[in-house]
Amino acid sequence: SAVISQKPSRDICQRGTSLTIQCQVDSQVTMMFWYRQQPGQSLTLIATANQGSEATYESGFVIDKFPISRPNLTFSTLTVSNMSPEDSSIYLCSVEDGSGHGYTFGSGTRLTVV
Amino acid sequence: AQSVTQLGSHVSVSEGALVLLRCNYSSSVPPYLFWYVQYPNQGLQLLLKYTSAATLVKGINGFEAEFKKSETSFHLTKPSAHMSDAAEYFCAVSVNTDKLIFGTGTRLQVFP
């Protein structure tokens, strides 16, 4: 199955600033997914990123707040823009690795906004 | 659109007792179903998955789940709970290897 390298693993940021999270996959994948896990909550899908097209955002998430890049089939970034304390969460990327309907997750980025 | 419902946000069992975590799904087409476990301050680990093969799926750590189409359920069970099973468990559904949608999670506590 695919292996995902996600960074940074954690960060503490000032409100009003932006943070870009990177995910690198060791194989080519069509779709990459970005999730948010708020403290004590489940995972919520932010958007689906396909290479060569704009990301598809879920209800409640907008491109201005969470811009996503997908320059090739092995890499994607998620930016959390103009952060507020409510953005403090764990952000995870994921891929469907084509090994039989398996989904692999990155180790997550624990973001704290102060 | 597909969704999953996990009944019971918290489940408590005694060590050695049966573990039963409930998950019901909604999907207009045949779904793929998953159970993940998350230990405190750790990442997600896949326990097992149903991908339209055998309806009884065996996973890691002695867990298993049975896909019941008539009941739209995919409950997770383990015959004998261990202290190390204490964690958060998530049921999830996908269709045609599209996005994975998670339930709200069930926190399992195991008492000695």
Side-chain angles (χ1 to χ4, degrees):
Chain A
S1 60
V3 176
I4 300 175
S5 174
Q6 181 174 345
K7 58 183 181 182
S9 59
R10 60 178 62 231
D11 207 342
I12 301 173
C13 300
Q14 297 290 322
R15 68 175 66 202
T17 63
S18 298
L19 176 71
T20 295
I21 302 167
Q22 300 180 1
C23 273
Q24 178 75 51
V25 189
D26 69 344
S27 59
Q28 294 185 336
V29 293
T30 303
M31 290 187 289
M32 293 183 73
F33 307 95
W34 287 97
Y35 289 86
R36 180 177 72 182
Q37 186 177 25
Q38 294 176 299
Q41 302 294 317
S42 183
L43 282 78
T44 301
L45 182 65
I46 297 171
T48 302
N50 290 331
Q51 191 267 337
S53 63
E54 284 196 7
T56 302
Y57 288 83
E58 298 297 307
S59 176
F61 297 95
V62 295
I63 187 171
D64 289 347
K65 177 66 176 178
F66 298 101
I68 289 171
S69 77
R70 184 80 202 274
N72 57 52
L73 291 173
T74 64
F75 186 79
S76 180
T77 68
L78 170 76
T79 298
V80 186
S81 303
N82 188 25
M83 289 184 286
S84 66
E86 291 72 32
D87 294 319
S88 297
S89 295
I90 299 172
Y91 293 85
L92 303 100
C93 61
S94 176
V95 301
E96 199 290 311
D97 59 17
S99 66
H101 314 295
Y103 291 82
T104 301
F105 284 83
S107 54
T109 297
R110 184 179 295 271
L111 170 63
T112 302
V113 184
V114 297
Chain B
Q2 64 272 27
S3 65
V4 289
T5 301
Q6 291 184 243
L7 297 176
S9 59
H10 290 82
V11 171
S12 298
V13 299
S14 299
E15 192 172 22
L18 172 71
V19 175
L20 171 61
L21 304 183
R22 299 177 186 274
C23 174
N24 288 87
Y25 70 90
S26 174
S27 177
S28 58
V29 297
Y32 303 122
L33 295 159
F34 305 80
W35 276 99
Y36 285 86
V37 62
Q38 187 176 40
Y39 298 100
N41 297 314
Q42 294 191 27
L44 283 170
Q45 182 178 9
L46 179 67
L47 275 177
L48 49 82
K49 60 185 179 183
Y50 166 77
T51 57
S52 73
T55 57
L56 182 62
V57 182
K58 294 186 182 299
I60 62 172
N61 301 339
F63 284 93
E64 64 181 35
E66 186 172 7
F67 173 73
K68 292 186 176 180
K69 184 177 179 180
S70 61
E71 299 177 8
T72 62
S73 68
F74 191 58
H75 302 331
L76 182 70
T77 61
K78 182 174 181 179
S80 177
H82 192 274
M83 296 294 290
S84 61
D85 294 327
E88 189 85 20
Y89 292 80
F90 297 99
C91 182
V93 63
S94 74
V95 173
N96 296 329
T97 69
D98 199 355
K99 57 192 177 185
L100 193 60
I101 303 300
F102 285 84
T104 51
T106 297
R107 182 170 298 275
L108 176 66
Q109 287 185 304
V110 182
F111 293 100

